[in-house]
Coordinates of all heavy atoms in Angstrom, one line a residue:
L1283 N -24.9 -13.0 9.7 CA -23.9 -12.5 10.6 C -23.5 -13.6 11.6 O -22.3 -13.6 12.1 CB -24.3 -11.3 11.3 CG -24.2 -9.9 10.5 CD1 -24.4 -8.8 11.4 CD2 -22.9 -9.8 9.8
A1284 N -24.4 -14.4 12.0 CA -24.1 -15.5 13.0 C -23.0 -16.4 12.4 O -22.1 -16.8 13.1 CB -25.3 -16.3 13.4
A1285 N -23.1 -16.7 11.1 CA -22.1 -17.5 10.4 C -20.8 -16.8 10.3 O -19.7 -17.4 10.4 CB -22.6 -17.9 9.0
E1286 N -20.9 -15.5 10.1 CA -19.7 -14.7 10.0 C -18.9 -14.7 11.3 O -17.7 -14.7 11.4 CB -20.0 -13.2 9.6 CG -20.6 -13.1 8.2 CD -19.6 -13.5 7.1 OE1 -18.5 -12.9 7.0 OE2 -19.8 -14.5 6.4
V1287 N -19.7 -14.6 12.4 CA -19.1 -14.7 13.8 C -18.4 -16.1 13.9 O -17.3 -16.1 14.4 CB -20.2 -14.5 14.9 CG1 -19.6 -14.9 16.2 CG2 -20.7 -13.1 14.8
E1288 N -19.1 -17.1 13.5 CA -18.5 -18.5 13.6 C -17.2 -18.6 12.8 O -16.3 -19.3 13.3 CB -19.6 -19.5 13.1 CG -19.2 -20.9 13.3 CD -19.2 -21.4 14.8 OE1 -19.8 -20.7 15.6 OE2 -18.5 -22.4 15.1
A1289 N -17.2 -17.9 11.7 CA -16.0 -18.0 10.8 C -14.9 -17.1 11.2 O -13.8 -17.1 10.6 CB -16.4 -17.7 9.4
G1290 N -15.2 -16.2 12.3 CA -14.1 -15.3 12.8 C -14.0 -14.0 12.0 O -13.1 -13.3 12.2
R1291 N -15.0 -13.8 11.1 CA -15.0 -12.6 10.3 C -15.8 -11.4 10.9 O -15.7 -10.3 10.4 CB -15.4 -12.8 8.9 CG -14.5 -13.7 8.1 CD -15.0 -13.9 6.6 NE -16.2 -14.6 6.5 CZ -16.3 -15.9 6.3 NH1 -15.2 -16.6 6.1 NH2 -17.5 -16.5 6.1
F1292 N -16.5 -11.7 12.0 CA -17.3 -10.6 12.6 C -17.3 -10.9 14.1 O -17.4 -12.0 14.6 CB -18.7 -10.6 12.1 CG -19.4 -9.3 12.3 CD1 -19.3 -8.3 11.4 CD2 -20.2 -9.1 13.4 CE1 -19.9 -7.1 11.5 CE2 -20.8 -7.9 13.6 CZ -20.7 -6.9 12.6
R1293 N -17.0 -9.8 14.9 CA -16.9 -10.0 16.4 C -18.3 -10.3 17.0 O -19.3 -9.7 16.7 CB -16.4 -8.7 17.0 CG -15.0 -8.3 16.7 CD -14.6 -7.0 17.3 NE -14.8 -7.0 18.8 CZ -13.8 -7.0 19.6 NH1 -12.5 -7.0 19.2 NH2 -14.0 -7.0 20.9
E1294 N -18.2 -11.3 17.9 CA -19.5 -11.8 18.5 C -20.1 -10.7 19.4 O -21.3 -10.5 19.4 CB -19.2 -13.0 19.3 CG -20.4 -13.6 19.9 CD -20.1 -15.0 20.6 OE1 -19.0 -15.1 21.1 OE2 -21.0 -15.8 20.7
D1295 N -19.2 -9.9 20.1 CA -19.8 -8.9 21.0 C -20.4 -7.8 20.2 O -21.4 -7.2 20.6 CB -18.7 -8.4 22.0 CG -17.4 -8.0 21.2 OD1 -17.3 -8.1 20.0 OD2 -16.4 -7.7 21.9
L1296 N -19.9 -7.5 19.1 CA -20.5 -6.4 18.2 C -21.8 -6.9 17.6 O -22.8 -6.1 17.6 CB -19.5 -6.0 17.1 CG -20.0 -5.0 16.1 CD1 -20.4 -3.7 16.8 CD2 -19.0 -4.7 15.0
Y1297 N -21.8 -8.2 17.3 CA -23.1 -8.7 16.7 C -24.2 -8.6 17.7 O -25.3 -8.1 17.4 CB -22.9 -10.2 16.4 CG -24.1 -11.0 16.0 CD1 -24.8 -10.7 14.8 CD2 -24.7 -11.9 16.9 CE1 -26.0 -11.4 14.5 CE2 -25.9 -12.5 16.6 CZ -26.5 -12.3 15.4 OH -27.7 -12.9 15.1
Y1298 N -24.0 -9.0 18.9 CA -25.0 -8.9 19.9 C -25.4 -7.5 20.3 O -26.5 -7.2 20.6 CB -24.7 -9.7 21.2 CG -24.7 -11.2 21.0 CD1 -23.6 -12.0 21.0 CD2 -25.9 -11.8 20.6 CE1 -23.6 -13.4 20.8 CE2 -26.0 -13.2 20.4 CZ -24.8 -13.9 20.5 OH -24.9 -15.3 20.2
R1299 N -24.4 -6.6 20.2 CA -24.7 -5.2 20.5 C -25.5 -4.5 19.4 O -26.4 -3.7 19.7 CB -23.3 -4.4 20.6 CG -23.5 -3.0 21.1 CD -24.0 -2.9 22.5 NE -24.3 -1.5 22.9 CZ -25.4 -0.8 22.6 NH1 -26.3 -1.4 21.8 NH2 -25.5 0.4 23.0
L1300 N -25.3 -5.0 18.2 CA -26.1 -4.5 17.1 C -27.5 -5.1 17.0 O -28.5 -4.5 16.6 CB -25.4 -4.8 15.7 CG -24.2 -4.0 15.4 CD1 -23.5 -4.5 14.2 CD2 -24.5 -2.5 15.2
A1301 N -27.6 -6.4 17.4 CA -28.9 -7.1 17.3 C -29.7 -7.0 18.5 O -30.3 -8.0 19.0 CB -28.6 -8.6 17.0
V1302 N -29.9 -5.8 19.1 CA -30.8 -5.6 20.2 C -32.2 -5.9 19.8 O -32.9 -6.6 20.4 CB -30.7 -4.1 20.7 CG1 -31.8 -3.9 21.8 CG2 -29.3 -3.8 21.2
V1303 N -32.5 -5.5 18.6 CA -33.8 -5.9 17.9 C -33.4 -6.3 16.5 O -32.7 -5.6 15.8 CB -34.8 -4.7 17.8 CG1 -36.1 -5.2 17.1 CG2 -35.2 -4.2 19.2
R1304 N -33.9 -7.5 16.1 CA -33.6 -8.0 14.8 C -34.9 -7.9 14.0 O -36.0 -8.4 14.4 CB -33.2 -9.5 14.8 CG -31.8 -9.6 15.4 CD -31.4 -11.1 15.5 NE -31.5 -11.8 14.2 CZ -31.7 -13.1 14.0 NH1 -32.0 -13.8 15.0 NH2 -31.8 -13.6 12.7
V1305 N -34.8 -7.4 12.8 CA -35.9 -7.3 11.8 C -35.5 -8.1 10.6 O -34.5 -7.8 9.9 CB -36.2 -5.9 11.4 CG1 -37.3 -5.8 10.4 CG2 -36.6 -5.0 12.7
E1306 N -36.2 -9.2 10.4 CA -36.0 -10.1 9.2 C -37.0 -9.8 8.1 O -38.2 -10.0 8.3 CB -36.0 -11.5 9.6 CG -35.0 -11.9 10.7 CD -35.1 -13.4 11.1 OE1 -34.9 -14.2 10.2 OE2 -35.4 -13.7 12.2
L1307 N -36.5 -9.3 7.0 CA -37.4 -9.0 5.9 C -37.5 -10.2 5.0 O -36.5 -10.8 4.5 CB -36.8 -7.8 5.0 CG -36.9 -6.4 5.6 CD1 -36.2 -5.4 4.6 CD2 -38.3 -6.1 5.9
P1308 N -38.8 -10.6 4.7 CA -39.0 -11.8 3.9 C -38.7 -11.6 2.5 O -39.0 -10.5 2.0 CB -40.5 -12.2 4.1 CG -41.1 -10.8 4.4 CD -40.0 -10.1 5.2
P1309 N -38.1 -12.5 1.7 CA -37.9 -12.3 0.3 C -39.3 -12.3 -0.4 O -40.3 -12.8 0.1 CB -37.1 -13.5 -0.1 CG -37.4 -14.6 0.9 CD -37.6 -13.8 2.2
L1310 N -39.3 -11.8 -1.6 CA -40.6 -11.6 -2.3 C -41.2 -13.0 -2.6 O -42.5 -13.1 -2.6 CB -40.4 -10.8 -3.6 CG -41.6 -10.4 -4.4 CD1 -42.6 -9.6 -3.4 CD2 -41.2 -9.5 -5.6
R1311 N -40.4 -14.0 -2.8 CA -41.0 -15.3 -3.2 C -41.8 -15.9 -2.0 O -42.5 -16.9 -2.2 CB -39.9 -16.3 -3.6 CG -38.8 -16.5 -2.5 CD -37.7 -17.4 -3.0 NE -36.6 -17.5 -2.1 CZ -35.7 -16.7 -1.9 NH1 -35.6 -15.6 -2.7 NH2 -34.7 -16.8 -1.0
Q1312 N -41.5 -15.4 -0.8 CA -42.3 -15.9 0.4 C -43.5 -15.0 0.7 O -44.2 -15.2 1.7 CB -41.4 -15.9 1.6 CG -40.3 -17.0 1.5 CD -39.3 -17.0 2.7 OE1 -39.6 -16.3 3.7 NE2 -38.3 -17.7 2.6
R1313 N -43.8 -14.0 -0.1 CA -45.0 -13.2 0.1 C -45.5 -12.8 -1.3 O -45.8 -11.6 -1.6 CB -44.7 -11.9 0.9 CG -43.5 -11.0 0.4 CD -43.3 -9.9 1.3 NE -42.4 -8.9 0.8 CZ -42.7 -7.6 0.5 NH1 -44.0 -7.3 0.5 NH2 -41.8 -6.8 0.1

């Protein structure tokens, strides 16, 4: 989403409003 913000496809203010807490799920190859 950060890249989408940079490309102008996603609003920066909405991104930060959604990302109050970020949960990153690791892909299976990393576990």
Side-chain angles (χ1 to χ4, degrees):
L1283 279 195
E1286 295 296 297
V1287 170
E1288 185 72 19
R1291 292 187 291 266
F1292 203 84
R1293 288 178 63 107
E1294 186 173 28
D1295 47 5
L1296 178 57
Y1297 169 73
Y1298 287 116
R1299 187 65 184 80
L1300 290 170
V1302 175
V1303 177
R1304 289 177 60 208
V1305 174
E1306 298 179 63
L1307 287 179
L1310 190 54
R1311 62 183 173 276
Q1312 291 177 10
R1313 55 180 189 112

